[in-house]
């Protein structure tokens, strides 16, 4: 029976063409799915039983230092996966299954790269290490900060120039004396944390896992590297570096060198160091309800304006040393994975 006056022969041809198009689309979708090796690769890597510690770094210097340290042993089965422009290095450190990835230095890249890690493999915890700038006298060059919490401090509500409610009042920084400023003031905004099956939360400070901090406390007294050339004791720091627990980290898409703003963060928010990645790693970890910890070694002082190739090298070396030792401790602990 013809429809709307169309000849039945023409209708049959059109229906046949439509069926062929639909079949072609279905075949293409199937091919796209079959061409993707990722699910099978992940299944082979995980073996349905293996879980990994995710080691997240945000610079090639930190990645190279760990992979070339002699502690990382690549998997002989699948040593790495290249995905979304990143290499996920798979292996063991101190007998513990790990996957190491350099996610990049900007906040969007850090969040994206960390989330891909969660989607790719079974991750039982995240360790993030790297260098940072000190804004507090409690942290010296070469020290490794292990903060209790971290915040996005570049997430502002910039108020009108007539408002006096913002914590950061630009007029307070006028020279030679405080006064009115057309930039007005700004407040730090909280970020929204989403987790499965729970109402969203508005948080400024993202807490580091308390159980992991307890494990990390066993690192107190670990001897850190003080000289670039330890054998001849040359190119050394002026201080003896140490692991410093507590304090707060500040993350923003800004490489901070301004002493006045650094002092403001320290005085108003009790921040001890600044970086460009830690809070992004924290947010991704908390969203996936997986424990995480941060090890940030001090490569420069924002307040004093001090930095050198020696301090940068030693910051990287010391952050690697602390991260590796923590992985060893986690590998021997049976009570720190509550998720």
């Amino acid at each position: 029976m013809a429809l709307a006056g169309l000849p039945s022969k023409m209708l049959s041809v059109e229906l046949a063409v439509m069926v062929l198009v639909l079949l072609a689309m279905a075949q293409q979708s199937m091919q796209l799915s079959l061409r993707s090796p990722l699910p099978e690769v992940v299944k082979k890597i995980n073996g349905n039983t293996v879980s990994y510690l995710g080691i997240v770094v945000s610079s090639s210097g930190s990645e190279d230092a760990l992979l070339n340290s002699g502690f990382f042993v690549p998997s002989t089965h699948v040593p790495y996966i290249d995905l979304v422009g990143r290499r996920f290095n798979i292996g063991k450190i101190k007998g513990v299954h790990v996957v190491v990835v350099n996610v990049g230095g900007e906040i969007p890249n850090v969040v994206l790269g960390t989330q891909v890690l969660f989607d790719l493999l079974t991750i039982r915890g995240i360790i993030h290490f790297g260098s940072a700038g000190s804004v507090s006298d409690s942290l010296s060059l070469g020290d490794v900060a292990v903060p209790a919490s971290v915040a996005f401090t570049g997430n502002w509500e910039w108020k009108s120039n007539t408002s006096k409610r913002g914590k950061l009042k630009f007029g307070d920084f006028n020279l030679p004396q405080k006064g009115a400023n057309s930039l007005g003031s700004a407040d730090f905004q909280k970020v929204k944390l989403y987790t499965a099956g729970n109402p969203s939360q508005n948080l400024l400070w993202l807490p580091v896992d308390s159980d992991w901090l307890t494990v990390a406390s066993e690192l107190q007294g670990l001897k850190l590297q003080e000289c670039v050339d330890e054998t001849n004791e040359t190119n050394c720091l002026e201080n003896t570096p140490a692991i410093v627990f507590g304090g707060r980290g500040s993350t923003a898409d800004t490489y901070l060198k301004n002493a006045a703003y650094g002092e403001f963060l320290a005085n108003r928010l009790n921040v001890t160091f600044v970086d460009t990645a830690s809070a992004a790693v924290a947010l991704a970890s908390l969203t996936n309800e997986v424990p995480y910890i941060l090890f940030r070694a001090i490569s420069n002082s924002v307040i004093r304006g001090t930095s050198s190739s020696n301090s940068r090298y030693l910051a990287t070396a010391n952050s690697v040393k602390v991260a590796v030792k923590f992985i060893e401790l986690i590998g021997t602990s049976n009570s720190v994975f509550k998720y």
Side-chain angles (χ1 to χ4, degrees):
M1 177 179 173
L3 297 177
L6 287 174
S8 59
K9 187 175 182 179
M10 183 181 296
L11 180 61
S12 298
V13 171
E14 290 182 352
L15 287 173
V17 170
M18 183 178 296
V19 169
L20 288 172
V21 170
L22 290 173
L23 285 173
M25 291 174 64
Q27 183 180 16
Q28 184 183 30
S29 298
M30 188 181 300
Q31 287 172 345
L32 286 173
S33 177
L34 291 175
R35 286 173 183 169
S36 173
L38 187 57
E40 288 304 314
V41 170
V42 171
K43 186 176 180 181
K44 285 173 66 179
I45 296 170
N46 279 333
N48 295 324
T49 58
V50 177
S51 60
Y52 295 83
L53 288 180
I55 316 300
V56 176
V57 297
S58 55
S59 73
S60 58
S62 294
E63 180 185 34
D64 292 342
L66 178 60
L67 296 183
N68 298 324
S69 65
F71 294 111
F72 177 78
V73 180
S75 168
T76 56
H77 186 47
V78 181
Y80 61 83
I81 298 174
D82 288 332
L83 186 65
V84 293
R86 297 166 176 84
R87 174 158 292 186
F88 296 80
N89 299 279
I90 300 165
K92 290 184 178 181
I93 293 176
K94 298 290 186 177
V96 180
H97 289 282
V98 300
V99 54
V100 181
V101 59
N102 174 14
V103 292
E106 301 79 20
I107 288 174
N109 281 326
V110 175
V111 173
L112 174 62
T114 307
Q115 185 57 50
V116 170
L117 176 59
F118 283 116
D119 295 337
L120 179 63
L121 298 166
T122 302
I123 301 298
R124 60 173 180 157
I126 295 290
I127 297 169
H128 175 55
F129 74 88
S131 58
S134 169
V135 294
S136 168
D137 289 335
S138 66
L139 291 173
S140 301
L141 297 180
D143 287 351
V144 177
V146 188
S149 60
V150 66
F152 288 103
T153 55
N155 188 24
W156 289 1
E157 178 190 350
W158 204 321
K159 298 182 178 296
S160 71
N161 57 7
T162 59
S163 175
K164 297 182 179 179
R165 300 183 62 182
K167 287 186 176 66
L168 176 58
K169 297 178 174 61
F170 293 98
D172 289 348
F173 299 90
N174 286 357
L175 293 175
Q177 61 184 18
K178 299 178 182 181
N181 190 299
S182 60
L183 291 177
S185 63
D187 253 338
F188 300 100
Q189 294 196 101
K190 298 178 179 180
V191 295
K192 196 172 287 292
L193 172 64
Y194 296 92
T195 53
N198 299 307
S200 61
Q201 303 177 64
N202 293 312
L203 300 175
L204 178 60
W205 296 105
L206 305 173
V208 175
D209 187 84
S210 59
D211 288 339
W212 278 30
L213 285 173
T214 299
V215 174
S217 67
E218 298 179 35
L219 298 171
Q220 189 76 56
L222 179 69
K223 182 174 173 55
L224 300 181
Q225 189 169 340
E226 188 173 346
C227 302
V228 174
D229 184 345
E230 291 187 294
T231 303
N232 298 309
E233 296 186 349
T234 57
N235 298 322
C236 301
L237 297 170
E238 294 180 359
N239 55 285
T240 300
I243 302 175
V244 181
F245 293 89
R248 290 171 163 179
S250 159
T251 293
D253 268 333
T254 305
Y255 188 84
L256 182 61
K257 290 186 176 181
N258 185 279
Y261 185 61
E263 290 176 345
F264 168 82
L265 289 174
N267 294 333
R268 291 299 303 270
L269 299 180
N270 294 321
V271 166
T272 54
F273 70 87
V274 294
D275 67 27
T276 60
S278 291
V281 174
L283 185 63
S285 301
L286 291 170
T287 297
N288 287 275
E289 300 182 277
V290 166
Y292 79 97
I293 196 164
L294 309 171
F295 300 118
R296 281 291 186 168
I298 304 305
S299 61
N300 65 291
S301 170
V302 175
I303 306 302
R304 292 185 173 83
T306 54
S307 178
S308 68
S309 59
N310 291 341
S311 65
R312 291 190 292 271
Y313 172 86
L314 291 168
T316 300
N318 285 337
S319 63
V320 168
K321 184 172 187 176
V322 173
V324 168
K325 188 62 178 178
F326 179 78
I327 292 168
E328 184 178 10
L329 290 175
I330 284 293
T332 60
S333 177
N334 296 318
S335 60
V336 293
F337 298 107
K338 60 188 178 183
Y339 297 107

